[in-house]
Amino acid sequence: MSLDRRAFLGGTAAMTGAAMLPSFASAAETIKLGSILDTSGIFDAYGKPMDMAMRLAVDEVNASGGLLGKQVEVSGYDTQSDMALYSQYAQQLTRQDRVDVVHGGILSASREAIRQTMRKTKTLYFYNVLYEGGVCDRNIFINGVTPAQQVEALVPYAMKKAGKKVYVLAADYNYGQITARWIQKFVADNGGETVGLDFFPLDVSDFGSTIAKIQTAAPDLVIAPLVGGAHLSFFRQWAAAGMKDRIPLASTTLGVGNEQLVLTPEEGNGIMVAYNYSQQLDTPANAAFKASWLAAFGDNSNIHETAVSTYQGVKTWAKAVEMAGSLDRDSIIDALETGISIEGPGGKVTVDPKTHHAVLDVHLMEFEDQRMKVIETLPQRQPIDTQSVCDLAASPNDNTQYEIQI
Amino acid sequence: MDLSVVILVEMLYAVASLVLISAGLAVVFGMMKVINLAHGEFMMMGGYATITAVNLGVNVFVAMLVVAPITVGLIGLVVERLVIRHLYGRLVDTMLATWGLSLFFIGVATMIFGNTTTGISTPIPGFSIGSYQINGYNFFIIVVAIALVIGMLVILKSTRAGLIARGTMQRSDIAAALGYSPDRIYMATFFCGSALSGLAGAVLAPLVGLVPTSGGAYIAKAFITVIAGGPSLVAGLLSSAGLFGLVNQIFTFAISPVIGEVALLVSAVILLRLLPQGVTGKFFKGKL
C-alpha cells in the first residue's frame, strides 16, 4: 500500500489525539500537583526533606477526603541540582502533565529558571524557600522569610545582648549582598554602627586573616550571612581561635540546612539566629507535625526550615482551593488574595495580598547543644522589603524581581 | 606590635598550608609528570578518613598523621596499578583518566557519607597574643609543614631510596639498566604522593566543613604552586608557596580576602610570564 504525506499526517494526528484522551479523562478525576526539587546532587540536603514535607502534606490532604472531592496526585521531578533540568521539567509539568499547581525550586536561580514558564502557561506556582526578596509576579506565591523579616528581628535582639558595634561577614552573591545591606540599615536604625563589612566567594574556607582583622576592629557583635559548606569553616575557626566567648555571633543562614548538627556544641552554642521554624518550637501544631513526620518516615531529625515552608505552602494552596471551590487559576489566586491564613508548624502563615509573600512568625533562637532553642517569638512579621517595591493590587501585570534599594 | 605578630603567624600559616596542599601533587606531577586531577579528591578522602577514624574512637592526631595518609596511600596504590601505570608518559591521557577518577571518588564519597557537610573540631585550643586571640591549630599546621619539608629533603637527599627515586625520574632506562625496576619505583612514588595528599586533607579537615566536592577548592591552588615552583621539587615548592602565601596574606590584610585571592592568581600569571620554567627554572638551579 502507499502512504502519502497527507494520510500519514492525518493518521498520526488522530493517534496523538487518541493518546491524549485518557490524560484529559484522568485530569478530571484527580488534582495534579507538580513538584520540582533537587532530591539528589549537592543541594539534596535541602531538597530531600522538602520533597518529604510535600508528600506528607499531600497525604494528609488526601486522608481527610482530598480537595473538592478529588484526590491529589503528585507528579514529582528530581532536578539533580542541575539548573538546566529545571526548565526542561517545567515544560514537562506544564505542557505534558498539565498540572494544576507547581510547588518547588530551591535556589533563586532555579526559581527564575521556571517562573516565566509557569507565568506563560498560567500554572499557579509556589516557591517555598527563604530568599533575598523582591519577586513581584501575580502568578507566584512565596512563603519563606525575606532578609528584612529576619534581620528586622535578629539585629535589635543581638545588639541588645552584645553591643552597638557590628562587623558583617557575608557571602559574595545577591543573597549575601542584599542581606548585608539590610543588616547595615537595621544596625543604623537601632543606633549602632557597622565597623566592618567583608564579602567572601562561596569557595573561601580560610578565615584566619579575617578573624585577625575582626579583632583589630574590635566589634561587640559579628553577624554572618555566610552560605554553604566552605563558609561553615568560619564558625569552626572562630571557635578554634577562642573568639566565641569574646564576641557573640549571629547568622541569617546557619541552621537552615540543619547546620547546628554539624557544629559541635562548643562551636555552636550561643550563636543567635532568627527563622520561621525550629524543631524546638513548643506548639501543638509543631508537635502534631513532628509526630506525623515520624510516623510517615521513621525519623524526624532532618526536618528543617525549608521543609516546613514547603509543608505550609502545600497547606496554604489546599485551603485556597477549598475556598475557591474550583481549580481555575484566577479563582484560586482571588482566594489567596483574600489574605487567608493557615496554622503551620512554624506558626500562623498569612498570605500578603499586595506582594504574594507571607506574613509569618519569626522566632529568635540560640544554638544550644546542637538544637535551636527558641528565645522569643515575634508574631506576624510583614515582608516589608518586598512591600516597599511591589504592589500587585495596583499593578497586577508586574513581572520583575526588584533589587531593593535601601 | 601584637597585630604584627598575628599577621606574621597568619602569613606563615598561609605558606604552610600551601606547602601541605601542594606537596602530594609536587611528588606526583613534579617527579612523575602525571597530571593528577584527582589530587583534590585524594585530599577529600584524607579528610573523610580522619573524621571516620575519630568517630570510631581513634585519637585525633593518630587519625590525622597515621590513619589518613596510609588509607589514601593505599587507595593511590590501587589507582596506580589499575589506571595510572598504563598511562606513564602520556600527559594528556593521564589528565583525562584522573579527571574521571575525581568524578568517581566524589560519587563514591557522596554515596557513603551523603551530600552533607561533616567535620570535627580542632584539637588544640586558641590562645592569646597580647590583646589578640589566635587559632592554636595554625601552629600545628606550620609544624607539620616544616616537618614535611625536612622529611622530604632528608629522604630524597640522604637515603638510598631517595637516590634511586630521583635517578629513575631522570632516566628510567638507565635505572632499569642498573637493575632497578622503574615500575616498582613509580608505584612507590605514587603511593608516597597519595599519602602526602591524604595527610594534607587530614590536617586541614578540622578547619573546614567537609563535603564530597571539597577537593575542588584545593586543586587550582595546588597546580599553580607546583607549576610556578618549577623543576626542583622542594626548593620549587618552598619558593612558590612562600611567594604566593605572602602575596595572598598581604593583600588580604590590606584590602579584603577576595583581593587576596585575586592577587595570588595575578602574581602567578606575572611570574609565569617572566619565568616560564617556574622559579627554580632560573634560581636555585640544580637544587632539590
Side-chain angles (χ1 to χ4, degrees):
Chain A
M1 73 176 242
S2 74
L3 183 68
D4 66 15
R5 192 167 60 103
R6 194 162 294 175
F8 175 75
L9 283 178
T12 43
M15 278 190 322
T16 318
M20 283 169 79
L21 272 178
S23 80
F24 278 128
S26 76
E29 286 154 18
T30 60
I31 298 176
K32 284 191 163 183
L33 181 146
S35 167
I36 185 163
L37 290 167
D38 303 311
T39 51
S40 62
I42 56 171
F43 304 124
D44 71 348
Y46 301 112
K48 271 186 192 157
M50 289 169 77
D51 184 64
M52 292 157 91
M54 179 272 299
R55 289 177 196 279
L56 181 65
V58 169
D59 287 348
E60 287 180 9
V61 168
N62 284 339
S64 61
L67 293 173
L68 315 175
K70 298 174 191 169
Q71 291 284 296
V72 179
E73 183 193 332
V74 176
S75 315
Y77 289 95
D78 173 14
T79 31
Q80 301 165 29
S81 307
D82 178 355
M83 290 305 140
L85 288 177
Y86 270 96
S87 26
Q88 184 189 328
Y89 287 140
Q91 295 290 343
Q92 200 147 339
L93 279 172
T94 51
R95 302 199 194 275
Q96 248 172 4
D97 303 348
R98 293 169 178 259
V99 293
D100 298 299
V101 63
V102 171
H103 286 261
I106 301 180
L107 296 204
S108 290
S110 63
R111 178 197 65 237
E112 291 307 305
I114 63 176
R115 187 163 66 86
Q116 300 304 337
T117 307
M118 301 301 155
R119 189 180 164 90
K120 246 179 266 161
T121 57
K122 297 192 166 34
T123 312
L124 188 60
Y125 175 37
F126 279 77
Y127 176 63
N128 308 308
V129 182
L130 84 172
Y131 85 116
E132 67 279 356
V135 169
C136 195
D137 174 353
R138 191 160 180 270
N139 190 51
I140 190 174
F141 285 83
I142 298 175
N143 73 350
V145 287
T146 57
Q149 279 171 311
Q150 250 185 318
V151 173
E152 184 200 20
L154 183 63
V155 168
Y157 169 73
M159 281 175 66
K160 206 167 83 192
K161 225 179 143 181
K164 303 232 174 257
K165 283 166 73 182
V166 180
Y167 201 108
V168 183
L169 307 172
D172 198 3
Y173 73 105
N174 70 351
Y175 171 79
Q177 284 165 350
I178 292 169
T179 308
R181 252 183 266 151
W182 282 101
I183 293 172
Q184 284 175 295
K185 173 186 154 51
F186 282 109
V187 167
D189 286 358
N190 286 286
E193 181 198 354
T194 307
V195 294
L197 170 61
D198 278 325
F199 289 107
F200 300 91
L202 289 172
D203 58 352
V204 169
S205 63
D206 185 4
F207 292 87
S209 52
T210 308
I211 291 172
K213 261 176 91 176
I214 294 172
Q215 299 185 56
T216 315
D220 301 318
L221 170 70
V222 174
I223 304 182
L226 296 169
V227 176
H231 284 181
L232 199 64
S233 318
F234 168 74
F235 299 95
R236 188 151 274 159
Q237 290 166 22
W238 181 256
M243 291 303 298
K244 207 176 71 66
D245 303 320
R246 301 199 161 199
I247 303 175
L249 270 181
S251 172
T252 59
T253 46
L254 204 65
V256 177
N258 275 336
E259 286 88 350
Q260 75 276 14
L261 299 175
V262 180
L263 295 176
T264 61
E266 300 80 53
E267 290 167 342
N269 280 357
I271 296 177
M272 296 172 269
V273 294
Y275 299 111
N276 177 234
Y277 181 73
S278 154
Q279 289 210 31
Q280 265 60 52
L281 272 176
D282 188 16
T283 59
N286 187 31
F289 171 69
K290 281 170 73 175
S292 53
W293 186 293
L294 190 66
F297 306 113
D299 171 26
N300 63 8
S301 65
N302 59 351
I303 303 174
H304 57 45
E305 172 88 9
T306 49
V308 170
S309 293
T310 304
Y311 180 84
Q312 292 173 164
V314 175
K315 286 296 175 86
T316 307
W317 166 77
K319 183 163 182 179
V321 172
E322 288 288 8
M323 191 174 160
S326 92
L327 283 170
D328 175 49
R329 180 190 72 139
D330 290 320
S331 359
I332 299 177
I333 292 180
D334 287 341
L336 285 159
E337 280 181 345
T338 57
I340 61 169
S341 303
I342 59 145
E343 198 63 45
K348 188 173 157 193
V349 184
T350 311
V351 176
D352 175 37
K354 237 178 85 175
T355 60
H356 288 195
H357 282 55
V359 181
L360 32 72
D361 293 356
V362 175
H363 311 282
L364 289 166
M365 305 171 223
E366 271 180 30
F367 281 20
E368 187 187 73
D369 297 333
Q370 303 192 312
R371 294 153 181 266
M372 302 203 283
K373 188 178 78 167
V374 180
I375 306 284
E376 193 187 339
T377 293
L378 304 174
Q380 300 297 291
R381 310 308 291 183
Q382 302 281 339
I384 52 169
D385 40 8
T386 312
Q387 281 173 344
S388 71
V389 289
C390 179
D391 186 353
L392 289 166
S395 45
N397 292 322
D398 206 343
N399 179 19
T400 347
Q401 178 172 15
Y402 290 98
E403 199 159 314
I404 299 158
Q405 301 301 326
I406 302 160
Chain B
M1 176 56 213
D2 297 341
L3 182 63
S4 52
V5 175
V6 171
I7 293 179
L8 185 74
V9 172
E10 287 296 338
M11 280 178 177
L12 280 178
Y13 161 74
V15 174
S17 62
L18 275 181
V19 167
L20 272 177
I21 290 170
S22 318
L25 192 72
V27 169
V28 171
F29 176 65
M31 291 183 73
M32 305 170 66
K33 295 286 169 276
V34 169
I35 297 187
N36 183 11
L37 283 180
H39 173 69
E41 280 61 44
F42 279 86
M43 290 183 60
M44 174 271 288
M45 291 189 289
Y48 275 111
T50 311
I51 291 172
T52 311
V54 169
N55 290 341
L56 291 175
V58 180
N59 176 287
V60 63
F61 290 102
V62 176
M64 283 193 295
L65 302 176
V66 182
V67 176
I70 290 178
T71 313
V72 179
L74 289 176
I75 294 172
L77 205 63
V78 174
V79 166
E80 201 268 351
R81 284 291 93 183
L82 293 180
V83 182
I84 310 284
R85 86 185 155 109
H86 305 292
L87 302 171
Y88 285 124
R90 291 156 64 185
L91 209 62
V92 179
D93 299 353
T94 58
M95 223 162 106
L96 192 60
T98 51
W99 184 57
L101 279 175
S102 107
L103 297 178
F104 171 74
F105 286 132
I106 292 174
V108 170
T110 310
M111 260 159 53
I112 300 175
F113 300 101
N115 214 326
T116 46
T117 323
T118 47
I120 44 172
S121 49
T122 50
I124 300 171
F127 64 93
S128 32
I129 297 177
S131 54
Y132 285 88
Q133 279 290 119
I134 190 159
N135 188 346
Y137 197 73
N138 287 357
F139 288 97
F140 177 69
I141 292 203
I142 294 170
V143 170
V144 171
I146 292 172
L148 188 76
V149 169
I150 294 175
M152 278 166 80
L153 269 180
V154 169
I155 289 175
L156 285 173
K157 217 167 182 173
S158 329
T159 65
R160 186 150 184 89
L163 186 72
I164 295 168
R166 281 191 290 147
T168 312
M169 301 314 149
Q170 283 183 6
R171 286 296 296 268
S172 59
D173 49 349
I174 303 291
L178 290 173
Y180 298 104
S181 158
D183 187 53
R184 286 255 180 97
I185 295 163
Y186 281 133
M187 185 176 86
T189 313
F190 199 86
F191 172 82
C192 294
S194 314
L196 284 177
S197 312
L199 174 75
V203 171
L204 293 174
L207 288 176
V208 297
L210 200 64
V211 283
T213 49
S214 285
Y218 301 114
I219 186 90
K221 271 189 191 172
F223 266 106
I224 290 168
T225 311
V226 170
I227 290 170
S232 307
L233 186 62
V234 180
L237 188 60
L238 279 182
S239 51
S240 62
L243 181 73
F244 293 144
L246 280 183
V247 169
N248 181 307
Q249 289 298 307
I250 288 170
F251 280 91
T252 301
F253 271 106
I255 307 170
S256 81
V258 181
I259 304 296
E261 297 283 306
V262 173
L264 190 157
L265 295 174
V266 169
S267 65
V269 171
I270 296 173
L271 187 93
L272 286 176
R273 176 68 188 82
L274 298 177
L275 304 169
Q277 299 296 316
V279 179
T280 51
K282 181 143 185 146
F283 307 105
F284 313 111
K285 256 194 176 158
K287 290 265 167 44
L288 253 181

